[in-house]
Amino acid sequence: MREQIHGMTSRLGVFIGGLAVLTALQCVFAGEAGAQTDAVAAFYRGRTVQAVVGYTPGSTFELYLRTLTRHLGRHIPGNPAIVIQHMPGAGSLNATAHLAAAAAKDGSVIGMINPVNTTEPLIDPGKTRFDARAFQWLGSLNSEISTCGFWNRELKTLDALKRREIVVGSTGPSSGSTVDAKVLGPLAGINFKVVPGYPGLTEVRLAAERGEVDGHCGLLVSALKTDLWDAYKAGRLAVPIQMGLQKHPELPDVPNAYDLATRDDERALFRLIFGPWTYGRPLLAPPGTPPERVAALRVALKATLADPQFVAETGRINMEIQFTEPEAIAALVGDILRTPMPVVERARVLLGVQTR
């Protein structure tokens, strides 16, 4: 009996000793985490964070970023001020290139880019030098489906689009408004004439209302719902086609171009061009941003999306929010950038990209 008691006592001593070690380790880890949080807060306290967007005021990307930044600072340790820096041009590609190479890499700069830009180095490597896989993704505010919208009352159906040349405005050669039209045309049998050079889609819509163009592609469902829902419901704006890996639930009767793709190579092309909209409003920090600050920004973003004030504001303006985790964005970017080269070559031909 004495031996049993002695054995139990020994095992109890080992257990208590192990528990003490575990508790000590937990305290060490908690202390390190607390020190990191304090260091992040010290960095951001009294600082102004720049939030870069590649579009002019009034664009939907700018609306998403502006709405977010009104609340984000409350959830970043140190509560920094956040100001939006507009950097329009080339369908957000100027801003994307700036974030990849020139922007400060200390956590004081974040940005929201057009997700289509992530495939640009694959499709046109001579024009773009950044690697989208190097970005520090914070998360995406929503998952998008692209459409084409027309203010010309004759263009209400897919069949109507096939009867004549369709003039669409765009914001730049690598923008969604250009890329979508140039790829959708051959897939759906539509003869698009793309008129580039508009500073933003707001200006394209004004041109369409004046009759200078018929409308534009690259009209995202989120923009349709926040900016144009009343016009769409009243019939002043027609949306005869959508481009998503699946239909939007609120557009069940609008034909999906993905369903028109009958071959594997066509579906791969569709995924290359329209797949990035799955991470439709990606927020990121530049490559090389310190990991503890990236982690803090990721936590802050998720806290903001759950903030009752943010939820109330986005609800009032009918803004779609479907969060995508940063790891999921990284995986999708990597998957799309592994598109087979014959498919990439076809995309280059359709987009008029010359490579050596």
Side-chain angles (χ1 to χ4, degrees), residues 121-190:
L122 176 64
I123 295 173
D124 194 354
K127 187 172 65 176
T128 50
R129 303 292 181 183
F130 62 85
D131 185 348
R133 292 166 292 193
F135 283 127
Q136 298 294 314
W137 303 104
L138 306 181
S140 177
L141 271 64
N142 78 330
S143 182
E144 284 286 5
I145 290 178
S146 187
T147 72
C148 297
F150 300 98
W151 282 257
N152 187 318
R153 293 180 180 272
E154 299 175 358
L155 303 177
K156 293 185 176 182
T157 66
L158 179 57
D159 285 341
L161 295 177
K162 298 178 180 182
R163 292 173 188 155
R164 65 168 175 85
E165 181 181 73
I166 307 299
V167 182
V168 290
S170 84
T171 60
S174 61
S175 69
S177 48
T178 295
V179 171
D180 287 11
K182 287 191 173 183
V183 175
L184 175 63
L187 282 176
I190 303 169

Side-chain angles (χ1 to χ4, degrees), residues 37 172 244 270:
T37 301
F270 190 100

Side-chain angles (χ1 to χ4, degrees), residues 39-47 49 76-80 106-108 293 297:
V40 171
F43 173 78
Y44 282 112
R45 189 172 296 114
R47 188 177 295 270
V49 172
I76 299 174
N79 306 125
D106 59 0
S108 64
R293 295 172 192 168
L297 291 169

